[in-house]
């Protein structure tokens, strides 16, 4: 028994080490790709110089700083943080609702965030105000769904899903009204472009403000790993183990909604990643949330860094990242459907 446990633990540590290494490789490769190509060796030397390990190259240091630190690094950090947050949120939703097809948009967060952003664009507000309204819209939509689910007694997983569907439909309809009323030559294209998702306008300052909040939300969900495992066995079984089911459910929903709304407020709509990244991580580390949640974060970060690299490099003009994630998510979703028929949870 002890030998089997040790072997399993060693395998898990090896898998996580491989995922961390893959994330580092993806980040360095993303730094090298762009209209002004850079060699991996040159990037590593620049980073070593910034760490004080080697002397900087005075002839190219300013150029490399502009390309790497000012332009590409914020996007890569943002892609890693947003990909991790959406994936962890998706894994948490799948555990809370015991539904392998659950995703961050299940309770209406994406629809509410889209409405908030569109409202800011129509009102001509600043980019910071747009992010604030998108975040408020996402949180508000989930809150409305929870209120609807509790109208006729204590909410269950099914009534929460139905409440989220109603809330999402309401905000989707409200978004359609805003699109209909928008200026078709100025405001409507801006709304449509935001809905397709992009990391082009993210600054390092924005990431420094929001990434710690995302990490805090993901850490909170990671601490709920074992109670979520108990909840996955059923509500009665979880109560028998002393798990406060209602508090756990709403706590996990609140944390997952928080990091999802933050992500959408930064980048716009980026779909699919919160649906299939947790399933890919589940194939690697199994269904236990103690391992699944951090593995989902790493898988999501790697995937979104790769998707953003493709978005800004495969064509002469940048492709909205939401299009890339949807195209790559289609075959992954087919895999999810196939495995869901066998019963993932």
């Amino acid at each position: 028994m002890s030998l089997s446990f040790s072997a399993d633990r060693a395998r898990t540590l090896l898998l996580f080490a491989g995922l961390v290494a893959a994330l580092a490789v993806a980040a360095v490769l993303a730094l090298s790709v762009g209209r002004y190509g850079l060699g991996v060796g040159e990037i590593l030397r620049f980073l070593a110089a910034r760490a004080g390990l080697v002397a900087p190259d005075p002839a190219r240091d300013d150029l490399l700083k502009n390309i790497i630190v000012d332009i590409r690094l914020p996007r890569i950090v943002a892609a890693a943080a947003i990909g991790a947050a959406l994936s962890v949120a998706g894994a948490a939703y799948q555990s809370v609702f015991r539904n392998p097809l659950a995703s961050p948009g299940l309770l209406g967060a994406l629809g509410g965030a889209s409405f908030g952003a569109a409202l800011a664009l129509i009102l001509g507000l600043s980019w910071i105000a747009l992010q604030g309204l998108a975040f408020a819209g996402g949180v508000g939509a989930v809150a409305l769904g929870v209120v609807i689910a509790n109208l006729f007694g204590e909410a269950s997983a099914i009534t929460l899903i139905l409440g989220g569907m109603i809330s999402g439909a309401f905000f989707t309809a409200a978004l359609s009204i805003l699109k209909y009323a928008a200026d078709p030559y100025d405001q409507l294209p801006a709304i449509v472009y935001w809905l397709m998702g992009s990391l082009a306008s993210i600054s390092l300052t924005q990431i420094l403000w929001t990434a710690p909040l995302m990490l805090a939300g993901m850490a909170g969900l990671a601490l709920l790993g074992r109670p979520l495992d108990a909840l996955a066995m059923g509500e009665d079984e979880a109560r028998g183990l002393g798990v406060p089911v209602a508090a756990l459910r709403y706590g996990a929903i609140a944390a997952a909604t928080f990091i999802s709304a933050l992500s959408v407020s930064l980048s716009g709509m980026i779909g699919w990643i919160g649906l299939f990244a947790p399933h890919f991580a589940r194939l690697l580390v199994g269904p236990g949330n103690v391992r699944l949640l951090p593995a989902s974060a790493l898988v999501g970060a790697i995937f979104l860094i790769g998707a953003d690299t493709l978005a800004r490099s495969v064509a002469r003009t940048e492709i909205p990242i939401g299009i890339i994630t949807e195209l790559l998510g289609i075959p992954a979703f087919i895999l999810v459907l196939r495995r869901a028929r066998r019963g993932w949870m």
Side-chain angles (χ1 to χ4, degrees):
M1 178 68 72
S2 59
L3 290 177
S4 176
F5 177 78
S6 299
D8 181 64
R9 185 174 182 181
R11 176 180 175 275
T12 301
L13 291 175
L14 185 61
L15 282 171
F16 274 101
L19 288 173
V20 172
L23 177 60
V25 171
V28 172
L29 291 178
L31 285 173
S32 70
V33 174
R35 293 192 177 185
Y36 191 94
L38 298 174
V40 173
E42 189 173 32
I43 293 172
L44 294 177
R45 283 195 299 272
F46 172 80
L47 295 177
R50 287 285 155 175
L53 301 177
V54 298
D57 182 359
R60 291 178 60 82
D61 190 67
D62 289 340
L63 175 63
L64 292 175
K65 177 182 179 299
N66 179 256
I67 295 174
I68 295 175
V69 178
D70 299 332
I71 298 175
R72 295 180 186 172
L73 185 60
R75 293 187 65 143
I76 294 169
V77 175
I82 293 169
L86 291 175
S87 300
V88 170
Y93 275 126
Q94 290 166 12
S95 294
V96 167
F97 295 103
R98 294 191 293 162
N99 186 340
L101 302 182
S103 68
L106 182 68
L107 298 184
L110 300 187
S114 300
F115 170 79
L119 181 61
L121 290 170
I122 286 182
L123 295 176
L125 302 180
S126 66
W127 185 252
I128 295 177
L130 184 150
Q131 292 177 333
L133 277 178
F135 175 78
V139 173
V142 174
L144 177 61
V146 172
V147 169
I148 293 172
N150 284 276
L151 284 178
F152 306 105
E154 184 180 353
S156 64
I158 297 299
T159 56
L160 281 170
I161 293 174
L162 294 175
M165 291 176 61
I166 295 170
S167 176
F170 170 77
F171 279 99
T172 299
L175 173 63
S176 298
I177 293 173
L178 292 181
K179 291 166 70 175
Y180 179 78
D183 180 357
Y185 299 104
D186 182 24
Q187 296 173 337
L188 184 58
I191 293 173
V192 172
Y193 184 79
W194 189 89
L195 291 175
M196 291 189 291
S198 175
L199 301 178
S201 59
I202 291 179
S203 67
L204 191 59
T205 302
Q206 291 172 315
I207 291 301
L208 291 177
W209 275 102
T210 55
L213 297 175
M214 292 182 185
L215 288 173
M218 287 186 281
L221 286 172
L223 292 176
L224 297 177
R226 293 195 183 278
L228 286 174
D229 287 340
L231 184 60
M233 296 186 296
E235 295 185 10
D236 293 336
E237 288 81 358
R239 290 191 181 95
L241 293 173
V243 175
V245 172
L248 173 62
R249 178 181 290 135
Y250 288 125
I253 288 174
T257 299
F258 177 72
I259 60 178
S260 298
L262 272 179
S263 301
V264 176
S265 69
L266 281 176
S267 61
M269 299 284 285
I270 299 179
W272 294 93
I273 184 170
L275 174 61
F276 69 82
H279 288 296
F280 187 85
R282 191 176 283 107
L283 288 173
L284 296 176
V285 300
N289 282 285
V290 174
R291 300 176 180 179
L292 177 63
L293 292 171
S296 297
L298 292 170
V299 170
I302 294 167
F303 175 81
L304 202 58
I305 288 174
D308 182 59
T309 303
L310 289 175
R312 59 185 173 84
S313 62
V314 297
R316 294 179 62 89
T317 58
E318 182 172 329
I319 300 173
I321 192 171
I323 296 176
I324 300 295
T325 58
E326 288 178 359
L327 289 175
L328 296 178
I330 290 172
F333 187 59
I334 293 173
L335 175 62
V336 169
L337 288 176
R338 178 185 176 190
R339 296 299 298 266
R341 293 183 61 186
R342 303 180 194 174
W344 276 57
M345 303 303 291

